[in-house]
Amino acid sequence: MAAEQMLPFEKPISDLREKIATLKTLAENNGMDFSEEIARLEEKCKAMEEELYNEMTPAQKMHIARLHQRPTSLDFIQAVFTDFMELHGDRLFADDLAIVGGLAKLNGLPVTVIGHQRGKDTKDNIARFFGSPHPEGFRKALRLMQQANKFNRPIITFIDTKGAYPGNTAEERGQSEAIARNLREMAGFGVPIVCIVIGEGGSGGALALGVGNRVLMLENAIYSAISPNGAASILWKDATKADIAAEAMKITAKDLLEFEVIEDIVEEPQGGAHRDLAFTAERLKEKLWKHLVELLPMTPEQLIEDRYHKFRKIGQFRMAEAASQETPQASQESDAPEMTESAKV
Amino acid sequence: MQIKDLFSKKKYATIPSERPKRDIPEGLMNKCSKCGTIQYSKELDKNLKVCSSCGHHYRLSAWERIGMTLDDGRLFEYDAEMESVDPMEFPGYKGKLEQQRQKNPSLREAVVTGEGTINGHPVVVAVMSFDFFSGSMGSVVGEKITRAIEAAHEKKLPLLIFSTSGGARMQESILSLMQMAKTSAALSMFQGAGGLFISVFTDPTMGGVSASFASLGDYNLAEPGALVGFAGRIVIEQTIRQKLPDNFQTAEFNMQHGQLDLVVHRKDMKVTIGKLLDMHTVREGLSHGG
């Protein structure tokens, strides 16, 4: 088995595993019987793993979501779909490899799949800008989605990016406009759109593939307006406090389900998706199909309405009492009833 | 006395400079942040807060902008009482909100929305204010903008938005990100039904606001020198490890790269918007070639 990259918080477990392995070799080489000891340690290891992985903090999940060996969009596309045919280019400027897309079949149904794509090694990562798209990437995605809309194919997107690429050429070619246009156009497509956050969902660059009827997240994926590192450097002028920011920012799948930003969570194996791609892909395929089947009978108008409603209701605010309108200080009273209301269409 | 003492350094007393320090009495005068010229506040106001020396457009608060843009400065305001809550229980957010409200007694949030007329044309307007929480977009900004778009849709009125923002309000994390989708989806409905949207970028418009409704105008205008972009200069310089030119992300830079229809001087803004509105007014009694 290839050496697994262990995160700092996983060290107690890897230490214990090492100990077990040493004991085993010792037993083999010297013909001694440590089987009782080994069994006891293995039992302990299992218990530790359960305790650790069932109660992971947001920061620990963030580290898992960012693991280099975490499955990428292409891994899931290969594992979940058949007959994948990759298509290239935005017809305007270039083929941005930070986004992949094309045609594929899901349980025999033709669909359009699109996703952010991180690299597998340094060279690949440089070619793919570490999964951070330029405007041409978003425009390639838009072109493929328009094609899907024309031919009445459902759209499946995989979200996995730190964010849109922050570079001068990206700005010159209209990074803002490319993202904004995707948000508006995705809202108007008359085909089912299901989005899955598989790793890191960072900011506008993630959302530009994220305006779906259903948005799902892998159990250890994160999704936020700004990366915890970015938030930490703005709030406390210290990017190394990302772990603290991660706790405060409500970035986990469970949090987002509570805020009704996502509709469902896809289970991962203990320790994270990289431990067992086949298992994760199978769960993902089940959930994906379940949601797609609910959307397929809907008319284009119903799908647009459904998607509009999903995003329309997101947000929390309150109406200050009319009396305090002239004197905003009046709202200082902390014991005033909190009339939080969520918007109704 | 030895000879070397002749060459020893003398000590000089420092005499205060006769040039007055370029400090300005609070309120009475203003110093231009671009060229340093000091002007009487009254003169500056008369000049629509544009520096008479270098043409630098000072940032305006929402109400100043409304005063300059709408006929008689009159606005029928929507959702004036809507204010932010602290949905994430984010450390320090409640206090910061309170501080922002006290600093800006005339504002409850970073955007003012409502209805008014421009040269007699009725419009729905949304005007953002950078002085409130850096114009950042949280639930309230997203909701008020969305309601303004929906009002324009229902009443079949043109929509005009003046944007200025540092980006998403990170204290509302994912909810603030989703306001980008919410406002853009509302524009999809409105513009899909033939609605007219004029978007004006003012200094600065960055991040999540630039990457959602502000970039989606049927006409995208900007004030001279306004900073418009997605990522901030410092982040970009760190990424590409190069120094960026001084004019990077200015309105003029954006127009040069095809991202804007027009850069419009503040004194011409109302006339330009009026003209655009006029171009979209269907007149009765006009016939082709008649």
Side-chain angles (χ1 to χ4, degrees):
Chain A
M1 199 179 101
E4 252 179 59
Q5 187 188 335
M6 296 299 267
L7 291 160
F9 76 92
E10 296 174 303
K11 194 162 183 305
I13 288 171
S14 59
D15 285 352
L16 196 57
R17 280 220 195 111
E18 233 168 73
K19 216 183 255 173
I20 295 170
T22 321
L23 267 182
K24 276 183 181 164
T25 21
L26 211 63
E28 258 173 45
N29 295 349
N30 301 348
M32 288 149 87
D33 184 17
F34 289 129
S35 58
E36 226 170 82
E37 181 73 2
I38 289 171
R40 196 181 61 77
L41 284 176
E42 270 173 348
E43 194 69 26
K44 191 180 166 198
C45 186
K46 223 175 136 193
M48 266 173 78
E49 278 183 327
E50 231 151 76
E51 197 189 320
L52 185 74
Y53 293 125
N54 290 347
E55 299 288 329
M56 270 195 289
T57 66
Q60 288 169 342
K61 287 187 179 195
M62 172 179 80
H63 292 301
I64 287 192
R66 288 172 172 176
L67 268 180
H68 174 67
Q69 343 61 310
R70 191 168 171 85
T72 65
S73 294
L74 279 175
D75 294 327
F76 282 119
I77 290 171
Q78 297 295 351
V80 171
F81 303 89
T82 57
D83 307 288
F84 176 59
M85 184 195 292
E86 190 176 349
L87 302 171
H88 294 272
D90 67 346
R91 300 294 184 274
L92 297 163
F93 182 74
D95 183 38
D96 186 349
L97 299 177
I99 284 187
V100 295
L103 308 176
K105 283 187 176 174
L106 179 61
N107 292 336
L109 178 77
V111 294
T112 286
V113 291
I114 300 166
H116 300 99
Q117 185 61 39
R118 290 181 286 115
K120 278 284 171 201
D121 50 48
T122 308
K123 199 177 151 209
D124 196 19
N125 250 328
I126 288 167
R128 297 187 184 280
F129 288 93
F130 293 81
S132 290
H134 282 66
E136 47 271 28
F138 298 122
R139 289 172 182 145
K140 168 163 82 172
L142 180 62
R143 185 179 74 81
L144 295 178
M145 289 191 276
Q146 285 167 334
Q147 192 183 64
N149 190 48
K150 175 179 175 184
F151 295 110
N152 202 24
R153 276 194 298 267
I155 299 166
I156 315 292
T157 70
F158 291 99
I159 294 169
D160 186 18
T161 183
K162 289 189 191 312
Y165 188 73
N168 54 335
T169 53
E171 297 290 320
E172 286 168 5
R173 297 198 284 274
Q175 189 71 293
S176 286
E177 195 272 350
I179 294 169
R181 182 182 294 266
N182 277 21
L183 304 182
R184 182 179 64 190
E185 299 307 308
M186 281 185 93
F189 290 139
V191 294
I193 305 177
V194 181
C195 313
I196 309 112
V197 187
I198 57 170
E200 190 169 9
S203 187
L207 188 62
L209 298 185
V211 186
N213 297 82
R214 302 281 196 278
V215 180
L216 321 181
M217 276 175 84
L218 292 195
E219 198 181 336
N220 296 315
I222 60 170
Y223 197 4
S224 62
I226 178 170
S227 78
N229 312 61
S233 65
I234 293 172
L235 285 172
W236 305 300
K237 315 265 175 260
D238 185 357
T240 61
K241 287 186 176 158
D243 284 15
I244 303 170
E247 306 287 331
M249 288 168 67
K250 308 274 196 303
I251 57 175
T252 67
K254 202 165 145 267
D255 291 324
L256 269 61
L257 191 68
E258 270 169 36
F259 282 110
E260 295 184 28
V261 170
I262 65 166
E263 279 70 34
D264 212 339
I265 297 176
V266 180
E267 188 195 348
E268 288 185 35
Q270 199 177 61
H274 59 290
R275 295 275 174 89
D276 193 343
L277 170 64
F279 173 94
T280 318
E282 197 50 46
R283 294 295 173 286
L284 197 155
K285 189 176 176 180
E286 277 167 24
K287 287 276 166 94
L288 190 54
W289 188 246
K290 172 180 163 258
H291 287 280
L292 205 52
V293 163
E294 286 171 17
L295 297 169
L296 283 171
M298 294 166 76
T299 64
E301 292 73 27
Q302 285 170 331
L303 286 164
I304 293 167
E305 189 60 40
D306 171 80
R307 208 176 303 126
Y308 188 70
H309 185 75
K310 169 181 161 56
F311 288 94
R312 182 66 187 86
K313 68 184 189 340
I314 300 178
Q316 290 185 22
F317 49 87
R318 70 176 169 201
M319 292 299 184
E321 286 175 56
S324 64
Q325 213 165 312
E326 274 86 25
T327 51
Q329 305 93 287
S331 59
Q332 264 178 323
E333 298 159 22
S334 55
D335 56 352
E338 248 184 45
M339 294 191 301
T340 312
E341 71 166 50
S342 71
K344 290 178 185 80
V345 184
Chain B
M1 189 174 120
Q2 291 189 330
I3 197 101
K4 67 172 188 196
D5 290 345
L6 276 175
F7 301 101
S8 70
K9 254 191 193 166
K10 285 200 177 82
K11 276 185 185 146
Y12 295 98
T14 46
I15 299 164
S17 159
E18 277 180 35
R19 270 182 67 197
K21 262 198 190 162
R22 296 196 131 195
D23 271 350
I24 36 161
E26 194 69 32
L28 188 63
M29 298 219 219
N30 275 291
K31 182 175 156 185
C32 176
S33 62
K34 270 270 147 61
C35 69
T37 303
I38 294 166
Q39 291 160 90
Y40 280 108
S41 297
K42 271 188 187 165
E43 284 298 312
L44 192 64
D45 286 347
K46 231 189 268 172
N47 210 20
L48 304 174
K49 291 217 163 173
V50 176
C51 175
S52 56
S53 174
C54 72
H56 169 61
H57 285 50
Y58 283 63
R59 288 174 185 169
L60 299 180
S61 82
W63 290 107
E64 286 174 318
R65 178 88 55 191
I66 288 162
M68 285 178 200
T69 312
L70 296 180
D71 295 341
D72 305 321
R74 277 167 67 178
L75 176 83
F76 171 73
E77 195 182 350
Y78 300 158
D79 305 309
E81 64 285 4
M82 195 186 294
E83 61 182 27
S84 293
V85 293
D86 180 13
M88 306 280 166
E89 292 170 4
F90 197 91
Y93 186 36
K94 272 207 176 98
K96 186 120 196 253
L97 275 172
E98 199 51 56
Q99 186 195 331
Q100 293 293 318
R101 287 184 201 124
Q102 280 176 2
K103 194 183 89 185
N104 304 281
S106 66
L107 294 171
R108 250 182 216 294
E109 253 299 333
V111 69
V112 176
T113 58
E115 253 173 87
T117 60
I118 292 175
N119 296 346
H121 299 283
V123 285
V124 171
V125 293
V127 184
M128 298 187 73
S129 219
F130 195 77
D131 44 12
F132 192 100
F133 227 121
S134 305
S136 56
M137 174 157 69
S139 296
V140 172
V141 170
E143 182 68 21
K144 284 176 86 168
I145 298 262
T146 304
R147 288 188 184 190
I149 297 167
E150 288 171 340
H153 193 166
E154 261 164 49
K155 298 181 179 188
K156 296 195 185 332
L157 289 178
L159 171 73
L160 169 66
I161 301 181
F162 286 93
S163 299
T164 174
S165 175
R169 186 165 305 170
M170 66 186 150
Q171 289 87 347
E172 293 189 27
S173 195
I174 195 72
L175 296 185
S176 78
L177 184 71
M178 292 300 143
Q179 304 308 309
M180 294 170 66
K182 181 161 106 181
T183 52
S184 302
L187 281 173
S188 165
M189 293 273 189
F190 172 62
Q191 292 177 310
L196 162 66
F197 170 30
I198 300 168
S199 175
V200 186
F201 291 96
T202 68
D203 185 60
T205 306
M206 302 295 292
V209 166
S210 168
S212 61
F213 61 85
S215 285
L216 294 173
D218 296 293
Y219 304 94
N220 289 337
L221 316 181
E223 283 194 331
L227 211 62
V228 177
F230 182 66
R233 168 188 285 266
I234 296 169
V235 177
I236 297 174
E237 284 183 338
Q238 281 167 355
T239 308
I240 63 170
R241 288 180 194 152
Q242 279 172 43
K243 189 112 176 57
L244 292 163
D246 285 344
N247 73 339
F248 186 67
Q249 290 179 326
T250 58
E252 294 74 12
F253 173 95
N254 274 289
M255 190 161 81
Q256 199 189 342
H257 286 96
Q259 305 302 328
L260 287 172
D261 287 291
L262 270 177
V263 176
V264 183
H265 193 283
R266 194 171 283 163
K267 69 175 164 43
D268 303 323
M269 189 58 86
K270 184 171 177 175
V271 177
T272 306
I273 293 167
K275 245 187 192 169
L276 275 172
L277 292 171
D278 185 62
M279 292 280 187
H280 292 79
T281 306
V282 182
R283 283 186 184 75
E284 285 177 32
L286 278 187
S287 59
H288 297 281

